[in-house]
Amino acid sequence: MRKNAAYEAMDSEAKPIPGFAGYFASRDGRIWSIRAIANRRPGIARRLIPTYKYRYPRVTFRTDKGPIQSSVHRAVLLTWVGPPPTPKHHGCHNN
């Protein structure tokens, strides 16, 4: 697999996001994709740029079921802490 500089940086700092194949999250909120889209080959990493439509930064994950939007903090918690006990639970923003 071909790797670029972004992939090398991501590889040492990020973990796969559970439930979203080809997406990775770092502890500091950076989200990467290595999914093949359009004319790009898999293995070429790109960092996702979050949108701020709903106050907190959000990213869109492309899945087989269609696009799914998630807040960046939810993706980071899912990756590094695990799933919430119930859908009503949410992350604390005391940083």
Side-chain angles (χ1 to χ4, degrees):
M1 176 181 349
R2 218 173 63 161
K3 294 182 179 182
N4 60 354
Y7 190 98
E8 296 296 336
M10 176 205 67
D11 200 28
S12 64
E13 302 172 13
K15 289 174 42 175
I17 301 173
F20 298 101
Y23 292 98
F24 296 79
S26 66
R27 285 186 181 272
D28 63 2
R30 291 177 288 170
I31 308 291
W32 284 279
S33 170
I34 60 165
R35 291 175 52 92
I37 58 172
N39 295 323
R40 238 187 26 202
R41 295 184 193 136
I44 302 299
R46 70 181 175 97
R47 188 163 165 219
L48 299 183
I49 306 300
T51 61
Y52 289 84
K53 185 176 181 181
Y54 300 104
R55 186 175 174 194
Y56 294 109
R58 300 178 68 79
V59 291
T60 301
F61 299 114
R62 308 282 177 209
T63 68
D64 295 338
K65 298 175 184 176
I68 296 177
Q69 282 197 345
S70 173
S71 58
V72 170
H73 63 271
R74 176 67 77 165
V76 171
L77 282 172
L78 181 64
T79 303
W80 293 92
V81 177
T86 70
K88 290 183 178 182
H89 285 84
H90 56 87
C92 184
H93 298 276
N94 289 342
N95 56 358

